[in-house]
Amino acid sequence: MNPGGLADIPRLYTALAEWLACLVYILSLLPAKRGSLRFWGLAAAMLAVQSAFLVATDDVPLPLWIPCMLAAIGLMFLFLLLACGRGALNAGYYTVRAFILAEFGASLEWQLYYHFANLAGQDSFLARLAFLAVVYAVVFGLMFLLEARSHAAEHPIAITPRELANAAIIGASAFLISNLSYTQADTPFSSQYVSDIFNIRTLVDLGGIAILYAYHLQRAELQMRHELETIDSILRSQYAQYQQSRESIDLINRKYHDLKHQIAALRAEPDAERRSAWLDEMESDINAYEAQNKTGNQVLDVLLTGKSLYCQKHGIHLTTVADGTVLAGVSPMDLCTLVGNALDNAIESVKKIEDREKRLIHVAVSRQKNFALLRFENCFEGELTFENGLPRTTKGNTDYHGYGLKSIRRTAQKYGGTVTVNTRKNWFELKILLPLAEAPQGK
């Protein structure tokens, strides 16, 4: 075969590159997919569809080339949308990145093979397969490692329409410039020579990948900074609530203490039997109030008492079994973050339940061998979707909600602890496990 006839990349190579590029982002975003038979069935079907479409449109006229290319991009978008399940904006953003990566991988592989085939003066099927396997493994494997190092799975970024538009502009610019020689060979930025066409396409696509990757890292860093600032704000807010609750509860305690003396004075006087029974009841209520939420940890006492008063006001039944002594090594601010956020989430959830008998929250704090276990349970209605082990916020604006559980996990990790969330039969369970021997690793 004449090596000069190798100018066009085989369409199957392009289909495989587009499929592999999608896999890079799917598997880096959702590592759990690697062992899913259902996912690999979908992936195999999408590879077959992508290959069939590109082969069928191999010899389309130039005016139909762009529409066919857009249709191929649409298939990549569909693959990412079905596999990731994170919405159209997210799928569109990663489609842009995957498409430019596929263009670069296919272009680089075919350029290298074209160069060495010309040097050798012959074309070999086995050499084609070897180049394909090696170059694709290096390109897509390296990109997968870069994405894994960016911790995309642990810290997925929230894509906005503006960010999708920015990525689309970068991707479209790279694609149009890299393929300019195929449509307009007489411009100052195009060429009529095969080797120059390869160089332009490969290098421009490489630049497009670099720009998109840098943009992604910058966006992820900005979002992480925003998350940390939001979590810090939540932490300080919970601590401020604790201080306010402590002042209010101290005032209530003084009032009840005075009331006990008033009751004692009334008992010293002759009184009716009915009034005596009423006073007995009052004293019993006061003693019950004094006994509740005495956990052995003053910060925990204030938090639980403050939330109990709120729950009583809103028809929520809160039960507590807590040994606060196991939390002696947790700083007041961190304890406010753990308990305050957990109870706020539970209260917000049960307040949505119409049936007041189902507005139930249970809190347990205990020692489990060398660990302190904090367990928060509450009824809930509806469906929850999970992301990175935590339920996604059910509120519309994810920019300002959903940080409560993130702040809990971040605080637990300071002490070498873990956070797990489970749901069963309309019961939500949050477990925080903190090693008793561990000291916090800094603020």
Side-chain angles (χ1 to χ4, degrees):
M1 179 183 289
N2 180 8
L6 298 174
D8 295 330
I9 302 174
R11 302 288 278 177
L12 283 176
Y13 287 22
T14 302
L16 180 60
E18 293 173 350
W19 183 76
L20 287 172
C22 290
L23 281 185
V24 165
Y25 294 107
I26 294 171
L27 298 181
S28 62
L29 287 169
L30 302 169
K33 295 286 187 180
R34 301 170 194 174
S36 170
L37 293 178
R38 182 177 180 181
F39 164 72
W40 287 111
L42 171 65
M46 292 305 301
L47 176 60
V49 172
Q50 194 86 10
S51 300
F53 176 77
L54 288 180
V55 170
T57 57
D58 189 9
D59 297 321
V60 296
L62 185 60
L64 296 179
W65 180 65
I66 292 295
C68 288
M69 187 62 67
L70 292 175
I73 296 172
L75 291 175
M76 296 175 69
F77 171 80
L78 180 62
F79 185 18
L80 285 159
L81 183 65
L82 294 176
C84 294
R86 292 187 174 181
L89 290 175
N90 194 286
Y93 175 81
Y94 284 101
T95 297
V96 173
R97 298 189 65 196
F99 177 69
I100 298 301
L101 175 61
E103 286 286 295
F104 170 72
S107 177
L108 177 64
E109 188 279 332
W110 197 242
Q111 180 180 358
L112 291 175
Y113 182 72
Y114 184 88
H115 175 75
F116 288 108
N118 270 323
L119 288 180
Q122 61 180 357
D123 179 24
S124 166
F125 178 72
L126 292 178
R128 285 192 179 196
L129 290 181
F131 267 85
L132 182 69
V134 172
V135 175
Y136 277 16
V138 171
V139 170
F140 297 107
L142 179 61
M143 197 64 196
F144 177 79
L145 293 177
L146 287 175
E147 289 296 319
R149 287 187 61 186
S150 69
H151 303 288
E154 292 86 352
H155 307 289
I157 67 172
I159 306 301
T160 65
R162 181 177 180 179
E163 286 155 358
L164 174 58
N166 291 339
I169 290 172
I170 296 171
S173 300
F175 172 73
L176 293 175
I177 295 174
S178 66
N179 288 273
L180 187 61
S181 297
Y182 289 93
T183 57
Q184 301 291 332
D186 56 351
T187 71
F189 306 102
S190 54
S191 176
Q192 298 180 355
Y193 300 100
V194 173
S195 59
D196 291 341
I197 293 174
F198 279 151
N199 285 331
I200 294 171
R201 179 170 58 186
T202 303
L203 293 177
V204 171
D205 287 338
L206 178 60
I209 291 174
I211 294 172
L212 285 170
Y213 186 70
Y215 175 75
H216 177 77
L217 291 181
Q218 182 186 45
R219 180 64 188 89
E221 182 180 352
L222 289 173
Q223 178 170 306
M224 178 62 67
R225 188 180 305 168
H226 171 68
E227 283 193 9
L228 292 176
E229 291 174 351
T230 305
I231 289 172
D232 185 65
S233 176
I234 291 173
L235 185 150
R236 296 183 183 280
S237 174
Q238 288 290 348
Y239 188 65
Q241 290 180 27
Y242 155 73
Q243 291 178 316
Q244 293 173 0
S245 296
R246 185 180 62 183
E247 294 172 358
S248 300
I249 291 169
D250 286 343
L251 178 61
I252 294 172
N253 285 333
R254 288 196 297 270
K255 293 295 185 182
Y256 273 111
H257 184 73
D258 294 341
L259 188 57
K260 286 182 66 176
H261 289 292
Q262 295 172 9
I263 293 173
L266 286 173
R267 284 190 178 279
E269 298 180 1
D271 204 353
E273 182 178 341
R274 183 176 179 183
R275 177 165 298 182
S276 178
W278 179 70
L279 290 174
D280 287 339
E281 183 180 353
M282 286 180 60
E283 187 173 22
S284 176
D285 290 341
I286 292 170
N287 290 333
Y289 170 79
E290 288 184 332
Q292 73 176 349
N293 297 328
K294 299 297 182 181
T295 67
N297 185 301
Q298 291 184 353
V299 178
L300 185 60
D301 292 346
V302 171
L303 290 169
L304 292 177
T305 303
K307 299 301 181 183
S308 296
L309 295 173
Y310 182 89
C311 288
Q312 291 176 17
K313 182 178 179 181
H314 292 84
I316 299 170
H317 185 58
L318 172 63
T319 59
T320 304
V321 179
D323 176 11
T325 60
V326 300
L327 301 174
V330 182
S331 74
M333 185 170 288
D334 289 337
L335 192 53
C336 291
T337 299
L338 295 172
V339 178
N341 279 313
L343 283 173
D344 282 348
N345 287 341
I347 290 170
E348 184 177 353
S349 177
V350 298
K351 279 176 65 177
K352 300 175 183 177
I353 301 176
E354 295 293 335
D355 187 352
R356 288 186 171 240
E357 292 185 359
K358 294 182 179 179
R359 293 183 177 181
L360 304 174
I361 300 174
H362 180 66
V363 179
V365 180
S366 61
R367 179 190 297 268
Q368 297 288 330
K369 295 185 178 179
N370 293 325
F371 294 88
L373 174 63
L374 295 84
R375 188 172 72 248
F376 302 86
E377 298 175 304
N378 64 270
C379 285
F380 78 96
E381 293 180 347
E383 297 293 331
L384 293 178
T385 57
F386 285 77
E387 186 175 272
N388 301 321
L390 298 180
R392 298 176 65 180
T393 177
T394 56
K395 298 181 179 180
N397 188 348
T398 58
D399 289 339
Y400 298 97
H401 299 296
Y403 291 106
L405 287 172
K406 290 182 180 179
S407 66
I408 291 173
R409 182 165 64 181
R410 178 169 173 259
T411 303
Q413 289 172 347
K414 284 175 54 178
Y415 294 83
T418 59
V419 174
T420 57
V421 174
N422 296 299
T423 58
R424 66 181 191 282
K425 296 181 179 179
N426 291 331
W427 273 95
F428 179 90
E429 181 185 62
L430 169 66
K431 286 185 179 180
I432 305 170
L433 202 62
L434 304 176
L436 293 176
E438 291 287 338
Q441 304 298 315
K443 283 278 185 176

